[in-house]
Amino acid sequence: MTPLTDLLVSAVAEGKLLESARTNIENLLNGSTGEVAQKSVEELVHSGSWEELNDRFFKTLAFGTGGLRGRTIGRKVTAAEQGIGGPNGRPQFPCVGTATMNYFNVNRAVRGLIEYTKKFVGADRRPLIVFAHDTRHFSRDFAEYCAKVCADFGCDAYLFEGPRSTPQLSFTVRELGADAGVVLTASHNPPHDNGFKAYFNAGAQIVDPHASGIINEVNAVTSEHYTPVEEAERGTVTILGVDMDERYKARLKTLLLKPSLLENGSAKVVVTNLHGTGGHIVVPMLKDFGFEVETVPEQDVQDGRFPTVESPNPENAPALKMGIDLAEATGAEIVIGTDPDADRMGVAVRDREGKMVLLTGNQIGSLMAWYRLKTAFEIGWLTPSNRTRAVLVKTFVTTELQHAIADGFGVSIVDTLTGFKYIAEKLRKYEDAIPADKKGAGYRTLSEEQTRALRLEYSRFFVFGGEESYGYLGSDAIRDKDANGAAVMFAEVAAYAKSVGKTLPELMDDIYSEFGYYLELGKSLTLEGADGAAKIQALANSYASNPPEVVDGSAVLRVRDFSKQDLFDQEGDLIPKEKMLFVDLEDGRSFAVRPSGTEPKIKFYLFGKAAPGGDLGATKQAVGDGLAGLWKWIEADAATRA
């Protein structure tokens, strides 16, 4: 054994190092091409940084349906990783480890995707794969590396010239007829994280059967070493820029239902992209529509440190503080914030007293769903004779208010598991239901008007989709949540409210008065590192093995265990198994629990409701008190399960 191996074996024997970490350290050093890995491991071992080594090596970063996500910068940065440093104060090299985001794991991911795609396409042509990235540390480096590996293996790569949003990647895969796509992003995770999100030929994140096939290929890659194909067989790397931006914006403009609402002057809006990609599309589009747009200069800077916020997540009030401060200074009526890869949008709006009010993801989605259904009937897209073809799609953990809205308009609604890939899978189903001979040269070549007519005649017309975590979609030309499109749709709702002399909070109250009051509360417990992952799984498993019978004084009416039971959606489709459990109470409250797929958290979703009628203010107070009591009970119960 080598001296390093001796130290690792001794650390395991002394209980300082996990056996899995020791095995993964040795595997990485055997399969890594650079000296940074060797020097970093040696430094951490000799300094006795066993906790850091456990966190970096307790597992091999698993490629799942969401791709990869993990740290690019360790809690402790080694001298070899720091090197001469990189842009925005980052280390020169990403975090060494099998459980971290680095070239070792990116190599595995992209080679697995390439291998599966080549087999799927066959030998008749070169596969085409599109790569995009956000503004995070190492995102550009990883994207360029992926494009190079792609060409080395005989595939053609398209690479955006600079940071672009996740939904634009989805659109581009469909627009170019590409076979797959990747965006290097960790969405709104902390600055030290990055990720690899994989898309297949429909422009959506991977689901089975493609997911299993790609995962198998990724798992078969054990070393960074590879031999490129002969030079004559290598692919090309093509840079994408303004032309694709314009094609994307042209499609987004079709989201407007009543453009005339924007003709007579619109609201003053503050937009912040939180150091990410959102300003590239949202700002010029809103200006084109006639909005007076201000941006937060300090947050316009594309910087993977996200230095002006604790978290670049527009769900959180502190992330929008600088935007709200600017709105107060300029008299702007709306603040729109997007996360680093511009798939999520948060907003703040003025109420009747002039105070800026944050809307929840459920409220934003419900306003847009209500407005788009109402207006689709007004402009004749939907009629009493075709409305059964119209559909809203949402996730199970998104507000039940949207069920009430859909029922009120006589249209269908479908619930999916958490993750926009499941909403996208419904869109694929609706597209596939259209007879092939009606699609002309191809569904993707048709205009929005043409596809709408086909969907209303032969399939289902997707009016709107969304999830409580601030993700929305209004067009099936894009197959992931889209903050750029959401900004367009929300701007129209704001223009409508202004045209009828109402504030957006007043419009929200009108919806509550008509359809009933619904309140949701999102909570989570964060548990990081090797021990945290185990605790999250143990806690999640405990709800399945030992579900409660009485919760906060109310009997449990029903338990839906999505990991074990065969459950079906409103269209009769079997719901894939997922670690999520719903508890419905006799008094109308309910809660769901699920481990996060992207963060070291276990998430809780609490739901309360009241029928329309009576004093709305008193109803809000009563429902709010009910959810506060429910969370207090859940917190205390979780502590006994830990």
Side-chain angles (χ1 to χ4, degrees):
M1 291 193 293
T2 66
L4 181 62
T5 302
D6 288 339
L7 290 171
L8 295 175
V9 170
S10 295
V12 171
E14 294 168 13
K16 298 175 181 177
L17 185 68
L18 297 171
E19 176 61 33
S20 62
R22 183 192 69 79
T23 300
N24 287 331
I25 289 169
E26 293 177 352
N27 289 342
L28 177 75
L29 296 182
N30 290 333
S32 181
T33 58
E35 63 178 14
V36 173
Q38 181 76 34
K39 289 183 175 180
S40 293
V41 169
E42 288 175 352
E43 178 181 331
L44 293 171
V45 168
H46 291 305
S47 64
S49 302
W50 304 115
E51 184 176 354
E52 179 74 7
L53 283 163
N54 281 331
D55 285 348
R56 291 181 180 217
F57 288 97
F58 75 97
K59 66 177 182 179
T60 295
L61 198 61
F63 188 98
T65 56
L68 298 174
R69 191 172 291 193
R71 276 184 170 265
T72 53
I73 300 175
R75 290 181 178 83
K76 180 174 182 178
V77 177
T78 69
E81 290 166 346
Q82 182 59 35
I84 61 171
N88 296 325
R90 65 156 226 217
Q92 184 178 0
F93 300 104
C95 181
V96 170
T98 56
T100 61
M101 269 294 292
N102 47 40
Y103 291 107
F104 174 80
N105 277 319
V106 171
N107 174 287
R108 293 172 54 238
V110 74
R111 285 170 60 192
L113 177 64
I114 289 166
E115 189 62 28
Y116 179 83
T117 304
K118 290 177 76 170
K119 290 177 180 177
F120 182 83
V121 168
D124 293 340
R125 64 175 177 84
R126 284 180 179 172
L128 191 163
I129 303 178
V130 184
F131 296 95
H133 65 89
D134 67 4
T135 60
R136 286 180 172 274
H137 297 310
F138 299 103
S139 283
R140 182 68 189 181
D141 309 68
F142 289 154
E144 290 177 346
Y145 176 75
C146 286
K148 177 186 180 299
V149 173
C150 189
D152 283 347
F153 277 89
C155 300
D156 289 333
Y158 280 75
L159 173 66
F160 278 97
E161 64 184 4
R164 293 296 191 278
S165 68
T166 288
Q168 187 168 356
L169 181 280
S170 171
F171 170 81
T172 304
V173 169
R174 293 179 62 80
E175 185 75 359
L176 294 178
D179 300 295
V182 172
V183 59
L184 282 305
T185 180
S187 193
H188 57 275
N189 273 35
H192 53 64
D193 284 354
N194 212 324
F196 178 108
K197 288 174 71 173
Y199 294 71
F200 213 60
N201 56 9
Q205 287 190 65
I206 57 171
V207 294
D208 279 331
H210 302 306
S212 296
I214 293 168
I215 290 167
N216 289 339
E217 295 291 351
V218 172
N219 290 340
V221 179
T222 59
S223 169
E224 285 183 75
H225 300 282
Y226 71 84
T227 302
V229 299
E230 295 296 326
E231 191 166 349
E233 298 174 13
R234 293 178 197 171
T236 59
V237 177
T238 302
I239 302 300
L240 296 171
V242 174
D243 175 66
M244 191 54 65
D245 294 342
E246 293 304 315
R247 289 156 75 174
Y248 176 49
K249 286 196 288 186
R251 181 62 77 162
L252 292 181
K253 288 178 181 179
T254 67
L255 289 167
L256 288 178
L257 304 182
K258 282 188 175 180
S260 59
L261 284 171
L262 307 180
E263 290 175 358
N264 299 318
S266 300
K268 179 183 280 190
V269 181
V270 168
V271 174
T272 174
N273 61 23
L274 301 179
H275 304 287
T277 62
H280 189 75
I281 297 293
V282 172
V283 172
M285 283 199 66
L286 291 181
K287 287 181 177 178
D288 287 348
F289 293 149
F291 285 87
E292 186 179 346
V293 181
E294 299 274 356
T295 63
V296 181
E298 300 92 333
Q299 295 179 331
D300 285 340
V301 179
Q302 295 185 333
D303 186 339
R305 293 171 294 187
F306 314 120
T308 64
V309 292
E310 184 177 341
S311 168
N313 186 351
E315 300 179 36
N316 301 332
L320 297 185
K321 183 182 184 304
M322 293 182 73
I324 291 171
D325 289 347
L326 182 58
E328 297 289 16
T330 62
E333 299 162 57
I334 304 170
V335 175
I336 294 175
T338 57
D339 67 345
D341 65 326
D343 62 353
R344 286 178 168 86
M345 178 193 76
V347 300
V349 299
R350 287 200 187 277
D351 64 13
R352 181 57 63 186
E353 288 71 43
K355 180 183 176 183
M356 295 302 294
V357 177
L358 287 166
L359 298 182
T360 69
N362 282 310
Q363 290 172 325
I364 297 166
S366 297
L367 280 165
M368 291 192 286
W370 171 83
Y371 173 79
R372 294 186 77 75
L373 281 174
K374 176 189 79 72
T375 307
F377 278 98
E378 289 174 355
I379 63 180
W381 286 7
L382 297 181
T383 65
S385 62
N386 73 7
R387 66 184 178 184
T388 57
R389 296 279 191 182
V391 64
L392 299 180
V393 186
K394 73 174 192 68
T395 60
F396 281 102
V397 295
T398 297
T399 179
E400 291 293 296
L401 173 58
Q402 291 174 25
H403 274 272
I405 291 170
D407 291 345
F409 283 100
V411 306
S412 300
I413 187 166
V414 181
D415 287 296
T416 73
L417 293 175
T418 301
F420 235 84
K421 59 180 177 259
Y422 296 112
I423 295 177
E425 188 63 10
K426 285 295 182 183
L427 301 189
R428 182 201 59 76
K429 172 187 170 182
Y430 303 152
E431 178 183 341
D432 288 350
I434 299 169
D437 63 350
K438 303 297 181 183
K439 298 177 184 177
Y443 186 82
R444 301 179 199 190
T445 67
L446 303 177
S447 69
E448 196 73 23
E449 183 179 2
Q450 290 171 318
T451 64
R452 181 172 65 250
L454 287 173
R455 285 175 280 162
L456 283 169
E457 183 173 358
Y458 298 104
S459 180
R460 289 203 141 184
F461 170 46
F462 170 74
V463 178
F464 179 78
E467 57 186 6
E468 46 72 42
S469 53
Y470 297 73
Y472 319 102
L473 186 65
S475 168
D476 81 335
I478 298 148
R479 299 294 170 92
D480 208 343
K481 53 186 175 285
D482 185 359
N484 302 307
V488 172
M489 292 186 289
F490 192 79
E492 185 175 356
V493 177
Y496 166 77
K498 191 173 184 178
S499 75
V500 296
K502 291 182 181 291
T503 66
L504 285 161
E506 287 171 339
L507 195 60
M508 192 73 243
D509 281 347
D510 287 349
I511 293 171
Y512 288 143
S513 296
E514 181 176 357
F515 298 102
Y517 181 65
Y518 293 76
L519 181 64
E520 300 76 33
L521 189 62
K523 295 288 188 177
S524 63
L525 300 174
T526 300
L527 300 163
E528 293 189 319
D531 291 344
K535 289 177 181 177
I536 287 171
Q537 290 307 315
L539 182 55
N541 291 338
S542 78
Y543 287 100
S545 61
N546 184 30
E549 295 181 359
V550 177
V551 172
D552 191 31
S554 181
V556 172
L557 197 63
R558 178 175 61 157
V559 174
R560 287 172 282 165
D561 185 347
F562 286 75
S563 68
K564 295 179 181 177
Q565 298 171 5
D566 284 342
L567 300 171
F568 297 84
D569 67 23
Q570 291 89 342
E571 294 178 340
D573 293 333
L574 181 65
I575 298 165
K577 295 295 185 286
E578 172 106 334
K579 277 204 169 181
M580 180 171 72
L581 186 136
F582 255 88
V583 178
D584 301 318
L585 307 183
E586 200 169 50
D587 63 9
R589 292 177 296 170
S590 60
F591 73 92
V593 56
R594 58 177 284 270
S596 171
T598 57
E599 300 172 277
K601 294 180 178 180
I602 185 163
K603 293 188 172 184
F604 297 87
Y605 305 81
L606 285 62
F607 304 88
K609 61 185 177 182
D615 179 77
L616 183 57
T619 297
K620 288 182 177 182
Q621 183 66 49
V623 174
D625 289 345
L627 289 194
L630 179 57
W631 174 240
K632 185 177 180 181
W633 185 94
I634 290 171
E635 253 191 322
D637 177 69
T640 68
R641 296 171 179 268

